[in-house]
Each structure stands twice: as structure tokens, then as C-alpha cells.
Amino acid sequence: MIQIKLSEKMAPSFFSVHQDVKQHGHTHYVLAGGRGSTKSSYVSLEIPLLLMQNPECHAVILRKVANTLRNSVYTQVEWALDALRISDKWKMTVSPMEMVRKATGQKILFFGVDDKAKIKSIKLPFGYVGVVWYEELDQFAGMEEIRNLNQSLMRGGSKFWCFSSYNPPKSANNWVNEEMLLDEQDRLVHRSDYLSVNPDWLGPQFIYEADKLKAKNETAYRHEY
């Protein structure tokens, strides 16, 4: 049982998304946010919560390049398990890079897309991959690559949650910016920034750097933050 209030760890801008996820209002959740928006923190909290509520599901977390996993999404999920006070309920290893829920055997698996063969050959002890997270979505090659990965991962089950998080690229012609202009019935697109986050979480230096850039170069500030 979770012993904390999620509001202590989750920025208010994500409360409505969290409720939609709980109700399975959509399958695809796209989180576009600037620096300090805590979008990755939000997703990392959501994944173990979903697995605990759906004991037949496993999760796969993807980045474009495998050597970025350890110091980004893996560390982020470690933080989430600690924030939820359930770290002791999970066995964590880096070789293979996975986290296993001790009570059920459910897995959180981490892959770089530069080795697609590993993704296609995933073997699970039971159940199916019900939760997928694409971190830094804009670094992937495009929607064709995402569709191909989803076709490999999102099958064999009844309910799926697919999260994507990214900082919107500067160019309006970037594939991810163009894709998010399309209206997809089963996709919720959420935008966030650091202004809705508890300043104590970010610290005074973060706020100072943001304010300094805003005064110096508002175009860069709007893109980065």
C-alpha cells in the first residue's frame, strides 16, 4: 500500500492526466514539457502504480540509444520507487537492466532502440507488456519507428498505456511537432512547464537560471523552459 500522498511528489499540472490514466481514458499519453516541468518524474511514478493495479502487466521503457538508459530513465524509476516508499518491494539489476516486483514477478525492462533485436525477442514469465514509455520522443526517427515498436510490444493483452515525453523541438517542421498537430481520438497530449512545479523541488538556482535566460533571450527561454 502506498503510504504517501501523490500530491507530495506529483506536480499539480499532472493531476488531471493521472485521473485519466486511472480511468484508462486513453491509450497514448504524450507529455510535452520544458526543462523542470517534471514530466519524466510524473511518468516514472505512474508506471509502478499501474503495474501494482494490473498484476498481469509488465512495462518497457525505451530511449533511442541504449547507453543513455542507466543515467536517465533507470535512475528516474529508482527515484520513483523510493518516492513511493516501495523500493524494498523491487529487485533492481543493471545487467540485465530491469526491475522485478518481488511479490508478482512483474518486470520493468529498459531498452535502447539501437538494438531492436532485443526488443523483438522479449520473453516474459507471464502476462504481457501493458505499459510503454518513450523518453525523449523527438530523438526517435519518426512515427513509423514508433508504430513498428508498438506493434512488437503492445499485443496479447486487453489494456495498454503508452507514454511519450519530450521537450518540443525548435523547428515547427520537426516530425514530432507536426504529429502533435493531428487529432487522434485515443491520444491525450499534455503540455507543462516549470511554473506549475513547487519551487522547492527545483531549487533557487534553477529559478535564477530560468529568470536570467528570460531576461537575456526570451525566445531561447520559451523553447527551453
Side-chain angles (χ1 to χ4, degrees):
M1 181 179 295
I2 302 300
Q3 301 295 326
I4 67 164
K5 293 180 180 179
L6 278 179
S7 60
E8 296 175 356
K9 302 296 180 180
M10 187 182 294
S13 59
F14 296 103
F15 291 172
S16 62
V17 186
H18 175 62
Q19 291 303 316
D20 194 278
V21 167
K22 286 174 62 178
Q23 297 164 13
H24 199 247
H26 298 78
T27 297
H28 299 276
Y29 294 87
V30 180
L31 307 171
R35 190 174 298 168
S37 64
T38 70
K39 56 189 180 298
S40 297
S41 297
Y42 162 69
V43 181
S44 69
L45 289 167
E46 203 70 84
I47 289 174
L49 292 174
L50 281 170
L51 295 190
M52 287 188 289
Q53 295 157 8
N54 298 273
E56 74 283 6
C57 287
H58 305 267
V60 168
I61 299 176
L62 301 165
R63 286 204 61 174
K64 181 64 175 177
V65 180
N67 65 14
T68 61
L69 293 166
R70 179 67 182 89
N71 293 320
S72 60
V73 285
Y74 187 91
T75 300
Q76 183 64 67
V77 178
E78 282 186 312
W79 168 85
L81 296 178
D82 184 64
L84 295 170
R85 299 178 186 170
I86 56 172
S87 293
D88 60 325
K89 308 296 183 184
W90 292 76
K91 178 183 178 183
M92 306 176 214
T93 59
V94 295
S95 184
M97 192 172 292
E98 64 181 28
M99 300 176 180
V100 182
R101 188 181 175 200
K102 296 175 183 178
T104 61
Q106 291 168 278
K107 293 187 175 186
I108 302 174
L109 304 168
F110 300 79
F111 294 102
V113 181
D114 45 348
D115 191 353
K116 290 185 174 66
K118 288 184 178 180
I119 298 171
K120 293 180 179 179
S121 62
I122 291 175
K123 296 289 187 268
L124 298 169
F126 62 91
Y128 66 100
V129 177
V131 184
V132 179
W133 177 17
Y134 295 94
E135 170 69 314
E136 305 292 358
L137 178 65
D138 57 305
Q139 295 179 1
F140 291 80
M143 280 308 298
E144 182 178 358
E145 181 173 51
I146 300 300
R147 284 195 300 270
N148 289 339
L149 289 164
N150 284 343
Q151 289 160 7
S152 296
L153 294 169
M154 298 170 65
R155 59 188 183 186
S158 57
K159 291 193 297 184
F160 298 90
W161 293 264
C162 181
F163 298 94
S164 301
S165 53
Y166 70 105
N167 188 346
K170 287 183 179 180
S171 173
N173 295 326
N174 182 279
W175 74 266
V176 74
N177 287 336
E178 292 184 341
E179 176 65 25
M180 293 312 127
L181 295 175
L182 303 176
D183 185 22
E184 296 283 348
Q185 184 176 1
D186 200 24
R187 180 168 69 193
L188 185 155
V189 179
H190 179 269
R191 294 177 173 83
S192 59
D193 58 51
Y194 76 98
L195 296 172
S196 64
V197 176
N198 185 336
D200 291 338
W201 296 0
L202 301 173
Q205 187 64 36
F206 181 97
I207 305 299
Y208 170 77
E209 295 292 343
D211 289 344
K212 183 172 68 172
L213 183 60
K214 183 178 181 180
K216 182 179 180 181
N217 186 336
E218 186 159 350
T219 299
Y221 166 81
R222 288 184 176 277
H223 166 63
E224 295 178 25
Y225 289 94

